[in-house]
Amino acid sequence: MALLEVRDLHVFYGNIEALKGISLQVDPGQIVAILGGNGAGKTTTLRTISGLLRPRSGSITYGGKSLIGMEAHVPEGRRIFNILTVAENLNLGGYLIRSDRKLMDERKAAIYKLFPRLAERRTQLAGTLSGGEQQMLAIGRALMSSPKVLMLDEPSLGLSPILARSVLKTVREIAKEGTAVLLVEQNARQALAISDRAYVIEVGRVVLEGEAATLARDERVQKAYLGGFESVSTA
């Protein structure tokens, strides 16, 4: 049984069907990438799994238990608190363990190890951080709750190539610790380089899936990268 499993998911915006039978799964310690062009349904997939959108049909299970209908409390985007320091933002991420100061400090230390730049700026106001540093802080805050599954929507968006590589490298380190990662990423080549498996979505349907290394060598996928995801459908 997969840790997170989606089966035959159909999602509508009004009368428009955005997801047309999406199925995927993520296991502990794996990075699974979702690739596709603009409007393919990548973010809609994450929002539906998160509970921000309700599917018309299909199933979403976590550890064998259905997630459909559960109330969502999901921070979207970076959504950091600009007037708080880096450390204070991390503290908010660990709200549920606030009574255990030792555990809180241990988790912050682990975040600072993953993102040394945050350690250097722990007393700095979050609103004064660069875009890349804010992205690191958003991921670090999410990790404070020690999630079993981490969903990331375009974590390298707007970052310099150096910072983008750094963030994605850290995502790989997070997975090595056992966290399942579901990744939507604009840089398909880098996403495949760090992922275990991947799904390619077009107009709400999965058109390709498999091991990330295999998909990276697939001629259809390579042409799509060069051509801006024109089409990789086998139909």
Side-chain angles (χ1 to χ4, degrees), residues 11-104:
V11 177
F12 287 74
Y13 290 107
N15 293 323
I16 299 174
E17 189 172 15
L19 298 183
K20 306 169 184 177
I22 294 288
S23 295
L24 58 85
Q25 65 180 53
V26 190
D27 295 313
Q30 279 193 333
I31 299 178
V32 174
I34 301 177
L35 309 178
N38 292 333
K42 306 183 302 296
T43 296
T44 297
T45 299
L46 293 192
R47 287 172 59 84
T48 305
I49 295 171
S50 301
L52 296 171
L53 294 173
R54 188 167 186 129
R56 187 166 296 183
S57 63
S59 64
I60 306 169
T61 57
Y62 170 78
K65 297 181 179 179
S66 177
L67 295 182
I68 294 177
M70 294 185 67
E71 187 176 1
H73 299 280
V74 184
E76 295 188 272
R78 291 172 186 159
R79 294 289 178 90
I80 61 171
F81 293 91
N82 291 332
I83 61 173
L84 299 180
T85 66
V86 167
E88 288 168 339
N89 269 273
L90 293 179
N91 287 342
L92 288 177
Y95 179 79
L96 294 178
I97 59 168
R98 64 192 183 280
S99 61
D100 191 333
R101 183 60 180 271
K102 181 181 177 182
L103 181 58
M104 179 83 82

Side-chain angles (χ1 to χ4, degrees), residues 102-118:
K102 181 181 177 182
L103 181 58
M104 179 83 82
D105 288 344
E106 287 174 352
R107 289 195 180 167
K108 279 196 291 187
I111 301 305
Y112 291 145
K113 185 176 180 180
L114 277 174
F115 297 111
R117 193 167 300 194
L118 294 184

Side-chain angles (χ1 to χ4, degrees), residues 85-234:
T85 66
V86 167
E88 288 168 339
N89 269 273
L90 293 179
N91 287 342
L92 288 177
Y95 179 79
L96 294 178
I97 59 168
R98 64 192 183 280
S99 61
D100 191 333
R101 183 60 180 271
K102 181 181 177 182
L103 181 58
M104 179 83 82
D105 288 344
E106 287 174 352
R107 289 195 180 167
K108 279 196 291 187
I111 301 305
Y112 291 145
K113 185 176 180 180
L114 277 174
F115 297 111
R117 193 167 300 194
L118 294 184
E120 297 169 3
R121 289 160 172 72
R122 68 185 73 191
T123 61
Q124 187 172 324
L125 292 180
T128 65
L129 299 176
S130 70
E133 291 163 351
Q134 290 184 2
Q135 189 66 281
M136 294 175 190
L137 179 55
I139 295 172
R141 185 181 59 188
L143 292 174
M144 283 293 294
S145 62
S146 192
K148 296 288 191 300
V149 178
L150 181 64
M151 294 191 291
L152 298 173
D153 192 357
E154 307 280 15
S156 74
L157 184 64
L159 305 186
S160 69
I162 292 176
L163 276 178
R165 285 193 295 271
S166 176
V167 167
L168 292 176
K169 179 182 177 182
T170 303
V171 171
R172 181 72 263 176
E173 295 301 314
I174 292 168
K176 285 181 180 178
E177 295 298 317
T179 301
V181 179
L182 189 57
L183 172 68
V184 167
E185 172 52 45
Q186 59 172 343
N187 190 322
R189 291 190 184 277
Q190 288 194 26
L192 288 173
I194 68 166
S195 297
D196 299 289
R197 293 186 296 107
Y199 296 83
V200 180
I201 296 178
E202 281 189 359
V203 291
R205 291 187 175 93
V206 173
V207 295
L208 285 175
E209 63 178 279
E211 298 294 320
T214 301
L215 288 180
R217 295 190 299 269
D218 190 293
E219 183 178 351
R220 294 163 296 176
V221 175
Q222 292 178 352
K223 286 181 178 179
Y225 296 153
L226 296 174
F229 262 101
E230 294 175 359
S231 178
V232 297
S233 176
T234 57

